[in-house]
Amino acid sequence: MSKATVSRVLNNKGDVDASTAIRVREVIAATGYTPSARAVGLAKGRTQTVGMLVPGLTWPWMGDVLQGVADVLEAMGYGLLLNTMNRGADSLTQFARHVSANAFDGLLLIEPPDTLSYISGLHESGFPMVMIDDRGDHPGFPSVATSNKQGAVDAARHLLATGRRRMAVVTGPSQFGCTRDRTDGFRSTLEDAGVPLEEKFLIEGDFTRDGGREAIQPLLEAGVELDGVFAQNDLMAVGVLDALRAAGRAVPDDVAVIGFDDIPIAAHTQPALTTVRQPSREMGEAAARMLLSRLAGEPFPHEPHIVPTSLIVRDSAP
């Protein structure tokens, strides 16, 4: 019995003698054979694999994004080829080899530094890709993001509702779109409430714990009276808590603190951190579904897919 005959039976071709088809299916049932999804994909010109390019795996919310991606891909019979940029140009060269070898059908990415030119070329060539958390603000890319501006609005409203009036913001790096959105949302909400944000209270950080502590330190050393701080990610918020504790400022009695992301450590700081939950796992799921729909022949949506944030109230700003 030839491989070609077995293949025709498995693919329900009508040109196989009925008795032969019965014998083939009896053997299949007896051996428990199942067709290789990868082999079927290759026969159709597909790898049944999705590539993913990320800066690295140390970002606190990266694991949740990856889990969301993996859950959707696994359910649909796809594999995941993960690429990081830990080795800079060497990593990009290795990733480019995978692209040239047609190692995957489409790409999910969280934009690593110094890759935009290459990624833009791929996108312009028509290669299917979806950007997650578009920090560089590239409106031409299909993308999934969270409601950064609304999350900051919710943080500002909560601080105002608890009576806070002299607030500082520790931002992320100014080149990131999420930084601009979070700053605009917080600032405009204070202005609408008649509590404008003073420029000296708007301090750029770097999304690290040390960066949060160092950003707020000069205000504390100068004896500035603050009653609220919005740090634009949880790691910086933890740094702010460190600095306030060292300066003898009680949280939340003297100063309320709100972060952004709701990474696992947020529930275990002292005091537990009030924060804006960024739905990282849901973002990964949505991006994977969007890419698989494109691979199935559906067009990409014209607008970014937005997964909403939510305010998680804990002891640092009850």
Side-chain angles (χ1 to χ4, degrees):
M1 190 181 301
S2 70
K3 292 181 180 179
T5 299
V6 174
S7 176
R8 288 198 295 272
V9 172
L10 287 172
N11 288 284
N12 297 312
K13 302 295 185 182
D15 56 351
V16 180
D17 176 75
S19 61
T20 300
I22 290 172
R23 289 202 310 276
V24 169
R25 294 196 180 279
E26 286 174 345
V27 172
I28 289 171
T31 61
Y33 169 79
T34 57
S36 164
R38 180 170 176 80
V40 172
L42 288 172
K44 296 178 180 179
R46 293 282 182 84
T47 67
Q48 292 296 113
T49 300
V50 165
M52 189 165 184
L53 180 64
V54 301
L57 300 178
T58 58
W59 292 3
W61 49 268
M62 185 68 73
D64 283 341
V65 173
L66 290 174
Q67 190 63 62
V69 167
D71 287 347
V72 172
L73 294 184
E74 183 178 347
M76 297 301 293
Y78 274 75
L80 177 65
L81 179 59
L82 180 63
N83 301 262
T84 69
M85 286 293 294
N86 292 327
R87 296 181 294 114
D90 289 342
S91 294
L92 184 58
T93 299
Q94 181 176 335
F95 172 72
R97 290 196 191 105
H98 288 151
V99 174
S100 299
N102 298 315
F104 42 81
D105 301 327
L107 177 66
L108 301 169
L109 72 148
I110 299 173
E111 183 192 347
D114 304 319
T115 61
L116 181 60
S117 177
Y118 180 80
I119 296 302
S120 295
L122 272 183
H123 174 58
E124 290 165 5
S125 74
F127 194 82
M129 63 175 63
V130 175
M131 187 173 286
I132 303 171
D133 188 38
D134 181 9
R135 294 188 166 207
D137 195 15
H138 309 303
F141 283 81
S143 65
V144 170
T146 193
S147 51
N148 286 297
K149 186 171 184 177
Q150 184 59 51
V153 168
D154 292 341
R157 287 175 175 169
H158 182 73
L159 288 171
L160 288 167
T162 60
R164 313 294 169 161
R165 292 297 182 269
R166 289 179 59 80
M167 288 172 269
V169 177
V170 181
T171 78
S174 59
Q175 70 268 26
F176 288 162
C178 62
T179 294
R180 294 190 291 273
D181 288 344
R182 293 171 192 178
T183 301
D184 290 347
F186 196 88
R187 190 204 303 265
S188 63
T189 302
L190 295 192
E191 289 175 350
D192 290 346
V195 186
L197 179 66
E198 297 181 40
E199 285 301 319
K200 69 178 180 180
F201 290 165
L202 188 65
I203 317 138
E204 184 171 336
D206 62 0
F207 284 149
T208 69
R209 181 173 184 166
D210 287 345
R213 183 178 62 251
E214 291 166 4
I216 203 69
Q217 196 76 46
L219 291 181
L220 299 179
E221 290 175 352
V224 174
E225 290 301 320
L226 297 173
D227 59 14
V229 178
F230 172 48
Q232 291 185 358
N233 84 338
D234 287 346
L235 285 180
M236 292 194 301
V238 174
V240 169
L241 291 176
D242 293 340
L244 289 168
R245 187 179 303 111
R249 307 276 184 102
V251 178
D253 294 344
D254 299 330
V255 185
V257 178
I258 295 182
F260 202 111
D261 282 341
D262 197 26
I263 61 176
I265 195 177
H268 303 289
T269 57
Q270 294 295 326
L273 184 64
T274 293
T275 186
V276 178
R277 180 178 182 269
Q278 177 168 240
S280 302
R281 186 165 182 162
E282 293 91 331
M283 290 166 66
E285 293 170 347
R289 285 194 294 266
M290 184 186 294
L291 182 59
L292 293 184
S293 293
R294 178 68 185 88
L295 296 178
E298 298 294 325
F300 278 128
H302 295 296
E303 298 293 331
H305 179 84
I306 303 298
V307 186
T309 57
S310 55
L311 183 68
I312 307 300
V313 178
R314 299 191 180 101
D315 294 341
S316 70

